Amino acid sequence: MRMISPRPATRFILIGTQHGENVGAAARAMKTMGFTDLALVSPHDPKVLHRHKVIQRSSGAKDILKNAKVFSSLEEAVDDRNVVCGTGMPFDMYQKRTERKYVEPRVFFDKLVQNSEREEQEIRLALIFGSEQTGMEESDMDKCNALLGIPTNPTFGSLNLAAAVQLVSYDWRIAMGGHGSYEDIC
């Protein structure tokens, strides 16, 4: 199993979240995969990180919420990142979108790790998730080096925000070498 060294600095960025419980569930998903850097950009509720329901929903990831950063713009949140990935659906069920190229997360992450190892370049990755209602805005997508699309049902591809964070964080963790398998533990 390969392990990247040094460990990439990975920031999960949630833009304009409307449902606080999704922030808590996303924090839990991150912690499950070993990630700790959560950033919110212009959340609907500026006090979301301190809400009781959000803390409850984080189910043991209160430290992620406590250390989360809140930014007023995406530019600020990605300022220290050298790889910026947006997430979304290659098709949108509800609105017309500019046609863009999406890459499956695991395919992109495998190439990113290979390039990083070959070029001996440190990875400072931003993984961006748009609001529950509209996803990422076109102007936010323009700031990304890549757009990641989780292969879903073409007629109903909408994932819950925390579920999307879980899937992307899992693929990234595996690309970095994982945590070992159950065979190693049991």
Side-chain angles (χ1 to χ4, degrees), residues 95-107:
Q95 60 185 330
K96 183 93 171 116
R97 292 257 189 207
T98 302
E99 193 169 312
R100 297 177 185 269
K101 182 181 181 207
Y102 287 82
V103 181
E104 288 183 36
R106 65 186 57 183
V107 171

Side-chain angles (χ1 to χ4, degrees), residues 7-14 23-40 49 58 60-71 81 125-127 129 165-166 169-170 172-173 176 179:
R7 280 280 194 209
T10 304
R11 175 173 295 156
F12 286 77
I13 301 171
L14 311 181
V23 174
R28 178 182 183 180
M30 289 171 53
K31 187 167 184 170
T32 300
M33 291 297 119
F35 298 107
T36 59
D37 189 352
L38 173 63
L40 306 180
L49 295 168
S58 73
K62 186 176 179 179
D63 56 324
I64 306 295
L65 298 174
K66 181 181 176 192
N67 294 313
K69 299 164 200 72
V70 178
F71 296 95
R81 305 289 122 174
L125 176 65
L127 295 167
F129 299 81
V165 168
Q166 185 75 68
S169 65
Y170 175 79
W172 182 221
R173 174 57 60 204
M176 293 188 326
H179 287 299

